């Protein structure tokens, strides 16, 4: 959704205090695409600061479905979004300023809510997702989910990198 910023940008710079729906159903990133199962509304407070800067505060919460890093089972992960950022709306000033956030979601007088949410999800996205702390993962030989049962493969508990090293040793013996 596109939010019109003209009331906060023009005199008397009335703040925008609103809740808007998050329309995105799937979050796409370099890691893949992840369904967003539940989404709260995004509460936005946008205030004008001097010198054509805006302060944008936002709060929302989404629940994403992300596969477990070890066994690939779907895990529902709550991702709270809670941010405050200052951005410049002066076109001449958007470059070479470290403190200012990227403004790829602002275009003239409009704010692209989905793009803003996407940015924040990228920042808040969990780096590690496990279905449980003691997830046993999947067998690297047959693919059995070891949380759900065992398999008869040899050395299933062994890290695949270790078996590669073991093979190297075997080869040494044969020489
Ligand atoms: Zn798991
Ligand atoms: Zn196996």
């Amino acid at each position: 959704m596109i939010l019109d910023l003209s009331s906060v940008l023009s005199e008397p710079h009335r703040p925008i205090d609103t809740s808007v729906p998050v329309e995105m159903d799937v979050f796409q990133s370099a890691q893949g695409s992840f369904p967003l199962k539940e989404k709260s509304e995004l509460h936005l407070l946008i205030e004008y600061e001097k010198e054509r800067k805006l302060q944008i505060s936002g709060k929302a919460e989404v629940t994403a479905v992300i596969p477990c890093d070890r066994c690939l089972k779907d895990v529902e992960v709550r991702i709270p979004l809670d941010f405050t950022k200052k951005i410049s709306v002066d076109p001449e000033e958007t470059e070479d300023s470290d403190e200012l956030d990227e403004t790829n979601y602002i275009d003239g007088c409009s704010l692209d809510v989905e793009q803003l949410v996407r940015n924040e999800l990228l920042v808040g996205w969990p780096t590690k997702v496990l279905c449980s702390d003691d997830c046993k993962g999947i067998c690297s030989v047959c693919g059995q989910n070891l949380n759900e049962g065992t398999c008869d493969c040899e050395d299933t508990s062994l890290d695949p990198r270790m078996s590669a090293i073991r093979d190297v040793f075997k080869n040494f013996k044969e020489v």
Side-chain angles (χ1 to χ4, degrees):
M1 128 164 215
I2 302 293
L3 196 68
D4 181 8
L5 298 178
S6 47
S7 70
V8 69
L9 287 175
S10 56
E11 302 288 346
H13 300 304
R14 239 173 295 119
I16 297 176
D17 187 347
T18 186
S19 289
V20 293
V22 174
E23 283 157 5
M24 198 186 305
D25 288 321
V26 175
F27 174 71
Q28 286 182 326
S29 73
Q31 280 126 48
S33 39
F34 306 92
L36 301 182
K37 203 174 172 210
E38 282 166 43
K39 301 163 286 181
S40 72
E41 292 202 306
L42 172 66
H43 180 239
L44 276 177
L45 177 61
I46 305 175
E47 294 169 292
Y48 187 81
E49 300 215 327
K50 55 188 185 324
E51 291 156 0
R52 297 197 57 76
K53 287 188 180 61
L54 291 179
Q55 174 166 301
I56 302 181
S57 309
K59 249 187 205 209
E61 189 172 286
V62 304
T63 302
V65 180
I66 308 174
C68 169
D69 284 348
R70 288 187 200 149
C71 74
L72 304 178
K73 193 180 118 181
D74 282 347
V75 186
E76 290 179 15
V77 186
R78 274 179 54 232
I79 305 173
L81 303 181
D82 189 352
F83 56 88
T84 297
K85 50 183 69 212
K86 289 191 200 322
I87 58 151
S88 171
V89 284
D90 188 340
E92 285 167 23
E93 222 198 282
T94 45
E95 285 153 37
D96 70 55
S97 184
D98 292 346
E99 83 209 74
L100 297 174
D101 185 54
E102 283 183 61
T103 51
N104 62 348
Y105 48 87
I106 301 254
D107 182 12
C109 280
S110 43
L111 183 151
D112 184 338
V113 173
E114 297 301 304
Q115 187 59 50
L116 174 61
V117 168
R118 221 190 97 76
N119 288 3
E120 291 304 314
L121 278 174
L122 270 177
V123 174
W125 202 253
T127 50
K128 195 171 179 64
V129 172
L130 291 177
C131 61
S132 74
D133 285 340
D134 56 358
C135 172
K136 298 189 188 76
I138 54 176
C139 168
S140 59
V141 180
C142 72
Q144 163 73 37
N145 183 333
L146 298 173
N147 301 309
E148 290 165 2
T150 52
C151 61
D152 297 325
C153 300
E154 200 193 338
D155 293 331
T156 48
S157 61
L158 215 56
D159 184 317
R161 281 167 297 180
M162 286 302 292
S163 62
I165 291 170
R166 193 187 46 193
D167 290 344
V168 169
F169 277 115
K170 255 190 226 160
N171 292 342
F172 266 121
K173 275 183 212 150
E174 282 162 15
V175 172

